């Protein structure tokens, strides 16, 4: 009788320990889930009529400006939630304009952008960092002419309209030859410079 009673006490004690263990594990899991959760960043869409995407390049020792007239941009961005940040820009490369018809024709042709084969360029970023009050950095990938390369943007972000609109504006620099832009004689950087400066201003509307 005493042996049976002892065995029953042991089983009851083990059951109690198991229940406590499961409760502790449940609490720990809840803390991990809550602690690891990332708040969603605010979703924005660029207004194409008010936004701009421009470039500055050199030719024969002088600079010229250009722009892409057609592009789309969407971002999920909140300065308080940088780990949740996302940015995607899709550019209609055939919309390149520099104010010179002859040059524009060469740009969209097979030696430069080759738009018949690669009609769009895309930039996507998912790594954001603060670089000072209202200043940020976005690290991502630019795919142009079928070539994907890392690219980092420096930009400012200014909310407006009670948080309904915002302005994201910045710059970056790339090397055109890294993307195969400029084939044959156009690889000569004495005539057309390798570095190209990109400027953008996105007028964003909250989604």
């Amino acid at each position: 009788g005493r042996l049976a009673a002892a065995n029953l006490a042991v089983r009851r004690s083990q059951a109690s320990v198991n229940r406590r263990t499961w409760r502790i594990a449940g609490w720990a899991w809840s803390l991990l889930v809550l602690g690891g959760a990332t708040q969603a960043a605010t979703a924005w869409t660029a207004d194409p009529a008010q936004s701009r995407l421009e470039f500055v390049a050199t030719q024969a020792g002088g600079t010229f400006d250009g722009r892409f007239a057609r592009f789309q941009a969407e971002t999920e961005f909140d300065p308080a939630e940088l780990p949740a940040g996302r940015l995607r820009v899709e550019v209609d490369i055939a919309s390149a304009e520099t104010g010179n018809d002859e040059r524009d024709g060469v740009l969209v042709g097979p030696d430069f952008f080759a738009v018949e084969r690669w009609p769009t360029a895309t930039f996507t970023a998912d790594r954001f960092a603060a670089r000072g009050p209202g200043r940020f950095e976005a690290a991502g990938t630019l795919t142009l002419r079928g070539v994907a390369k890392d690219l980092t943007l420096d930009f400012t972000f200014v909310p407006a309209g009670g948080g309904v609109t915002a302005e994201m504006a910045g710059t970056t620099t790339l090397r055109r030859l890294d993307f195969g832009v400029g084939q044959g004689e156009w690889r000569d950087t004495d005539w057309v410079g390798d570095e190209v400066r990109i400027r953008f201003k996105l007028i964003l509307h909250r989604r």
Side-chain angles (χ1 to χ4, degrees):
R2 285 196 297 271
L3 181 58
N7 287 338
L8 178 62
V10 169
R11 287 196 297 271
R12 287 176 175 172
S13 176
Q14 289 175 336
S16 177
V17 169
N18 288 340
R19 285 193 297 271
R20 287 197 298 272
T21 300
W22 279 110
R23 282 198 297 270
I24 292 170
W27 294 336
W29 176 252
S30 298
L31 288 172
L32 285 172
V33 170
L34 292 174
T38 301
Q39 293 292 103
T42 305
W44 308 87
T45 299
D47 182 341
Q50 300 184 68
S51 302
R52 65 175 186 261
L53 177 59
E54 303 169 333
F55 56 91
V56 181
T58 59
Q59 181 179 8
T63 62
F64 67 90
D65 295 348
R67 70 168 188 140
F68 293 101
R70 296 185 298 276
F71 65 94
Q72 297 177 336
E74 293 185 344
T75 185
E76 297 173 13
F77 185 78
D78 185 332
E81 299 292 343
L82 293 182
R86 300 288 185 274
L87 173 63
R88 178 178 175 83
V89 182
E90 185 170 304
V91 184
D92 179 352
I93 295 298
S95 70
E97 301 175 351
T98 67
N100 181 298
D101 291 342
E102 182 179 356
R103 181 166 53 208
D104 293 351
V106 172
L107 282 179
V108 299
D111 288 336
F112 277 85
F113 290 138
V115 298
E116 290 190 3
R117 184 173 180 184
W118 296 289
T120 60
T122 59
F123 175 76
T124 58
D126 59 7
R127 301 185 304 280
F128 290 80
R131 290 293 180 259
R135 296 173 51 246
F136 305 92
E137 179 182 275
T141 302
L142 173 65
T143 303
L144 172 61
R145 213 176 186 275
V147 179
K149 296 282 186 181
D150 292 342
L151 189 68
T152 299
L153 309 180
D154 296 313
F155 68 94
T156 58
F157 183 81
V158 181
V164 177
T165 63
E167 178 185 291
M168 177 183 284
T171 62
T172 191
T173 300
L174 58 85
R175 294 184 179 275
R176 65 178 179 87
L177 293 178
D178 287 348
F179 298 89
V181 177
Q183 298 291 305
E185 63 179 341
W186 299 109
R187 293 182 59 83
D188 183 357
T189 56
D190 289 338
W191 177 246
V192 178
D194 192 15
E195 283 195 353
V196 179
R197 183 81 166 166
I198 307 297
R199 303 183 304 222
F200 65 92
K201 183 172 79 170
L202 305 178
I203 303 302
L204 304 170
H205 296 289
R206 189 168 184 167
R207 295 205 302 268

